[in-house]
Amino acid sequence: MNCPHAAAQAAAPNGATVVIDPMVQDLDGETARLRDAGPLARIELLGVPAWALTRHADARQLLLDPRLVKDLDAWGLWQSGEVTHAWPLIGMIDAGRSMFTVDGDEHRRLRTKTSQALTPRRLEAIRPDIEKFTEELLDALAEGGRDGAVVDLKSVFAQPLPMRVVGMLMGVDPAENAMLTRQYKAFFSMLTPQDERLALLAELDVFYAGLVREKTARPTDDLTSALILADEGGEPLTEEEVVGNLKAMVAAGHETTIGLILNAVRALLAHPDQLRMVLDGEVSWETVIEETLRWDTPTTHLLMRFATEDIQVGDSVIGKGEGVVISYRVIGRDPAQHGPDADAFDITRATPIRHMTFGHGPHICPGAALSRVEAGIALPALFGRFPELRLAVPDADIRKLPVMTQNDMEAFPVLLNA
């Protein structure tokens, strides 16, 4: 894509532009290059220039800055027509009207119902369901790994668990979970042609619109019905708004948890001394989860916010109309926040594990607590059932999914017993 606007974008302090690899072949190397490029790194996303925030303190401040907005119409490249719906990443920005794409009072209005449906009390109420799903999937894992067979931990366990949970919360027929998994996998993959990706979005709109109409006619105790039914005196959400919230919530609700579970397992298998500490009860699973969220974030880059006026960041300026990516994986390895050993996975680290993997400020992920609950059930259950779990291939052979925004793997082949 020809983007002459790129020439007008000020260079990062060291003048480097980091090209974000759509195939995710060297995530650790990319993370290091972004960090070395400075607090505000100049990047290229499939031919489109943007800025990436790479420091914890700057991101914490700017995620609260009202001059950075989600409104696509504030993006200069969109206004000029240099970025169109032909750009493969546009569906992650122009995803329909929802709490993920608006700011201010409208964001609060769209988010309130979701937050009310994911209270600590509600999460505790569904804990038995999550435990039941977990045990059923562990049984399937055991069956697949019988007699020393290699089994894919992702497809059999880590992927279906969060989809079952989020589907239950939304009131989706469990028979639709496999379809939704396929649709979202294809949508996120950089291997999917853009015309197919746009068609997938249209199909999801049709599916969720049908769900909304069904729940409007026959509401039940689920998040979809809660989004439809306005509080007394409140302004009801439109069908488009409910569909947008559902579409984004299912995407974020299951993709984040897949990454969290698999990244935690991978980190522990690569650090057997730390795994032994957890299994012996010396370190909590909560600590494992938080260190995983910091060190190997489920979301690598969050697209995108736009500057409504010039914003100074260190020695650089985000120009009015320019796009800003929040590079959470780089931020999670910021030595200024996490110490000189920020690149190391260490569940005993001296510095407090205070990360921003689920965001900060009004747009903090509404499903963060749910993801933590799911991982907090899944991980101890997995290792409790299979304490000798190990990779069936060298760690270096684990391939990342070609997804520029999610830190996910194509597969995670394991052996369940020694």
Side-chain angles (χ1 to χ4, degrees):
M1 178 177 294
N2 181 25
C3 290
H5 180 78
Q9 181 166 322
N14 65 2
T17 295
V18 179
V19 178
I20 305 301
D21 178 14
M23 305 310 292
V24 199
Q25 298 179 84
D26 181 19
L27 186 56
D28 285 343
E30 182 177 279
T31 298
R33 289 190 293 275
L34 282 166
R35 188 170 59 192
D36 291 345
L40 190 63
R42 186 176 180 177
I43 63 172
E44 181 183 305
L45 296 164
L46 299 179
V48 171
W51 294 108
L53 289 173
T54 68
R55 300 295 191 266
H56 181 101
D58 293 325
R60 186 177 178 86
Q61 177 180 347
L62 287 172
L63 285 170
L64 297 174
D65 195 319
R67 296 174 296 174
L68 276 183
V69 300
K70 292 290 191 79
D71 183 2
L72 179 63
D73 289 332
W75 193 12
L77 292 177
W78 180 257
Q79 293 172 349
S80 67
E82 295 170 69
V83 171
T84 68
H85 281 106
W87 188 50
L89 297 177
I90 195 63
M92 298 181 190
I93 301 171
D94 186 23
R97 182 176 172 78
S98 75
M99 62 181 169
F100 297 92
T101 58
V102 297
D103 299 283
D105 291 340
E106 281 298 278
H107 171 259
R108 283 187 288 275
R109 171 177 163 269
L110 293 176
R111 182 188 173 99
T112 297
K113 279 296 188 63
T114 302
S115 300
Q116 291 172 348
L118 295 175
T119 61
R121 178 179 294 182
R122 174 64 169 162
L123 295 182
E124 280 306 306
I126 66 171
R127 178 179 288 272
D129 294 297
I130 301 174
E131 292 171 343
K132 176 177 177 288
F133 296 156
T134 298
E135 289 303 315
E136 290 173 353
L137 292 171
L138 288 176
D139 289 343
L141 194 66
E143 181 64 24
R146 286 179 60 186
D147 302 322
V150 175
V151 60
D152 180 14
L153 185 67
K154 177 180 177 178
S155 64
V156 179
F157 182 70
Q159 184 168 272
L161 176 61
M163 183 56 83
R164 281 195 189 184
V165 174
V166 76
M168 177 188 68
L169 282 170
M170 304 293 181
V172 173
D173 184 340
E176 303 287 3
N177 288 344
M179 177 276 293
L180 288 173
T181 298
R182 289 193 302 271
Q183 294 284 81
Y184 280 102
K185 180 179 179 181
F187 168 73
F188 280 111
S189 175
M190 299 311 303
L191 299 178
T192 302
Q194 180 63 357
D195 58 342
E196 292 183 22
R197 185 177 289 106
L198 294 175
L200 287 172
L201 281 176
E203 290 171 12
L204 286 171
D205 283 340
V206 171
F207 171 79
Y208 287 119
L211 179 64
V212 170
R213 289 164 192 163
E214 174 190 333
K215 297 297 181 179
T216 300
R218 292 176 294 278
T220 54
D221 183 20
D222 54 56
L223 179 55
T224 303
S225 299
L227 289 172
I228 294 166
L229 300 172
D231 293 328
E232 186 175 348
E235 181 184 352
L237 304 188
T238 66
E239 180 179 294
E240 178 194 5
E241 290 168 339
V242 177
V243 167
N245 273 4
L246 291 176
K247 188 166 58 176
M249 277 291 294
V250 174
H254 85 281
E255 279 290 338
T256 298
T257 308
I258 294 170
L260 172 54
I261 292 172
L262 292 180
N263 292 341
V265 173
R266 187 180 190 183
L268 289 172
L269 294 183
H271 299 84
D273 54 332
Q274 297 188 51
L275 174 58
R276 177 46 51 193
M277 294 175 69
V278 181
L279 296 180
D280 289 345
E282 298 174 29
V283 179
S284 70
W285 284 105
E286 179 184 1
T287 299
V288 171
I289 289 168
E290 296 310 313
E291 177 66 351
T292 302
L293 287 169
R294 177 201 71 80
W295 182 69
D296 208 9
T297 56
T299 299
T300 48
H301 308 290
L302 187 66
L303 311 183
M304 185 183 295
R305 297 189 184 212
F306 310 104
T308 57
E309 59 183 79
D310 290 354
I311 303 173
Q312 185 85 31
V313 180
D315 295 329
S316 300
V317 174
I318 303 168
K320 178 181 178 180
E322 292 184 334
V324 180
V325 170
I326 317 299
S327 290
Y328 281 118
R329 195 173 194 271
V330 190
I331 291 166
R333 298 191 180 197
D334 180 4
Q337 174 68 17
H338 301 291
D341 64 343
D343 280 329
F345 177 81
D346 183 4
I347 58 176
T348 68
R349 63 175 48 257
T351 55
I353 307 172
R354 295 173 182 159
H355 59 78
M356 292 193 304
T357 295
F358 288 116
H360 179 64
H363 283 278
I364 193 168
C365 177
L370 175 62
S371 188
R372 286 182 166 106
V373 168
E374 290 178 72
I377 292 171
L379 291 169
L382 173 66
F383 281 100
R385 180 84 74 94
F386 307 111
E388 297 176 332
L389 179 79
R390 68 190 192 279
L391 274 174
V393 298
D395 183 85
D397 290 347
I398 299 292
R399 297 177 59 183
K400 294 289 187 182
L401 274 180
V403 179
M404 298 180 78
T405 57
Q406 306 301 126
N407 185 6
D408 198 355
M409 307 168 200
E410 290 185 356
F412 198 82
V414 296
L415 295 165
L416 302 180
N417 300 295

